Amino acid sequence: MRTLMIKTHEAWLEMLMAGSMSRTENRQTLLDFSDILFRHFTWIEHEFICRNETYNYDRDAIPVKVTRLGDILKNITVRLNEIDLQLLSTEDKALTERISSDIRYMTGVLHHMKDETVTAFSMQRKFPDITLTQEATDALTLFLFEETYKEYELIMIYNYLKAHSEDAYLNRIFQILIDESFFHLKSFCDMSAKMGILAVPRVVMKELYQIEDVTQFLRDGIDEEFAAKEECRKLSEAVAKDSPELEKFFDFINNQENYHIALMEDALKHFLKKTNV
């Protein structure tokens, strides 16, 4: 089961990276497949919880640097076939059949997918059709490296909290925050690929998601959201002269953080009331 969970985690991220590096009609199909694999991941996680078995989100390194999309699609196909073999370890036969059926379809689609040249690892640090100053380029590069990991980290944290909570009110908030982080993660991966600096986020330490003090986590999280807003504001200012389009995008992300803060404040109030703190 642990191998199954690790391989599914890796396949989800590898498929997401493949979707990010594609510049053709392949892109949406690959991103849709990555969403399906993430659902598989959460369903396998639920089986661990039902069995009352301990687990974490550790995984191996995922090599994704390729010059042709077909190369990473072959790697993903191998990983998916490994997952199919590991399904024998699951007790939920309905889940086993669902995942196996999905894998058969996905591997068939990947096999017939049109190949394309990949430029997501060129390290050119140039945004298509936009000329940025060196200062703006450096600021955008640093932001994408940091925030790509941060959004992945938040997905892992909120997913773990949601998986271990039976509070429908809190789980609604956690799910919204997961969905929002997915949008940000996909957006930042797409921008990284366009600049030739795409990279797989590093592994999240278990101490960050296996949270004992939820109230302190939410308080710290609110502070981090305010910090994220400030980073978006700075980046918006840095690219404003060169690209009104990028300026508007980062203002858009900045304004989304306002609702994230409101949701986390709401979650904190609810949790404090629930625990009579």
Side-chain angles (χ1 to χ4, degrees):
M1 278 288 290
R2 284 179 175 79
T3 300
L4 175 61
M5 189 170 193
I6 290 171
K7 293 298 181 183
T8 304
H9 189 168
E10 293 169 352
W12 154 51
L13 276 179
E14 194 168 15
M15 193 77 80
L16 176 62
M17 292 297 108
S20 299
M21 64 182 72
S22 173
R23 304 264 66 93
T24 70
E25 66 274 8
N26 294 330
R27 173 181 168 79
Q28 190 56 55
T29 299
L30 292 169
L31 292 179
D32 288 343
F33 283 174
S34 76
D35 289 342
I36 292 172
L37 288 168
F38 179 74
R39 291 200 292 275
H40 290 178
F41 175 75
T42 63
W43 296 340
I44 295 166
E45 178 179 28
H46 181 69
E47 187 162 338
F48 269 99
I49 294 171
C50 289
R51 292 185 183 190
N52 198 30
E53 294 183 18
T54 59
Y55 68 93
N56 58 48
Y57 291 155
D58 287 351
R59 57 173 172 79
D60 294 330
I62 306 173
V64 296
K65 289 188 177 182
V66 295
T67 56
R68 305 291 304 179
L69 186 70
D71 292 335
I72 194 169
L73 297 186
K74 290 176 184 177
N75 294 340
I76 293 172
T77 298
V78 171
R79 202 181 297 275
L80 291 177
N81 288 331
E82 290 174 346
I83 291 171
D84 206 18
L85 291 173
Q86 292 294 328
L87 286 172
L88 294 173
S89 63
T90 63
E91 296 177 358
D92 187 334
K93 298 310 175 186
L95 176 60
T96 297
E97 177 53 35
R98 165 58 194 270
I99 295 177
S100 184
S101 176
D102 285 353
I103 286 174
R104 287 195 299 272
Y105 177 74
M106 286 190 284
T107 53
V109 172
L110 296 182
H111 180 71
H112 292 96
M113 194 167 275
K114 291 182 180 179
D115 197 9
E116 58 183 285
T117 301
V118 172
T119 60
F121 310 102
S122 67
M123 297 301 291
Q124 290 186 352
R125 297 205 304 151
K126 294 181 180 180
F127 211 85
D129 303 320
I130 297 174
T131 302
L132 297 174
T133 64
Q134 188 63 49
E135 180 183 2
T137 299
D138 291 343
L140 181 55
T141 299
L142 181 60
F143 177 90
L144 290 174
F145 274 129
E146 292 180 345
E147 293 303 312
T148 297
Y149 167 73
K150 191 62 182 179
E151 297 300 341
Y152 169 64
E153 177 189 280
L154 290 174
I155 290 169
M156 294 289 93
I157 292 173
Y158 290 125
N159 183 71
Y160 193 89
L161 288 172
K162 181 173 179 283
H164 291 82
S165 170
E166 296 182 357
D167 188 319
Y169 192 92
L170 286 176
N171 282 350
R172 171 186 170 273
I173 292 175
F174 292 150
Q175 187 59 56
I176 292 173
L177 293 170
I178 290 169
D179 293 341
E180 292 283 275
S181 286
F182 260 116
F183 171 71
H184 290 182
L185 175 61
K186 290 176 182 178
S187 297
F188 298 154
C189 283
D190 179 57
M191 296 177 76
S192 297
K194 287 177 178 177
M195 292 187 70
I197 56 173
L198 183 65
V200 179
R202 63 185 181 275
V203 175
V204 180
M205 296 185 297
K206 63 182 179 180
E207 290 81 8
L208 293 175
Y209 52 82
Q210 294 179 351
I211 297 165
E212 295 182 3
D213 190 342
V214 177
T215 57
Q216 189 58 49
F217 162 75
L218 289 170
R219 289 190 177 103
D220 292 342
I222 291 168
D223 290 339
E224 289 181 6
E225 291 290 344
F226 277 112
K229 279 179 58 61
E230 180 62 16
E231 290 304 312
C232 279
R233 185 193 65 77
K234 290 180 180 178
L235 188 55
S236 176
E237 290 182 354
V239 301
K241 293 181 180 179
D242 302 325
S243 173
E245 180 183 352
L246 285 178
E247 178 191 18
K248 290 176 182 177
F249 174 76
F250 287 111
D251 285 342
F252 164 65
I253 296 295
N254 187 352
N255 290 330
Q256 288 188 341
E257 303 292 355
N258 293 331
Y259 187 54
H260 299 172
I261 292 169
L263 285 171
M264 296 179 74
E265 289 175 340
D266 195 14
L268 179 58
K269 290 177 184 176
H270 176 81
F271 193 81
L272 290 174
K273 182 178 180 181
K274 177 183 176 181
T275 54
N276 295 315
V277 177

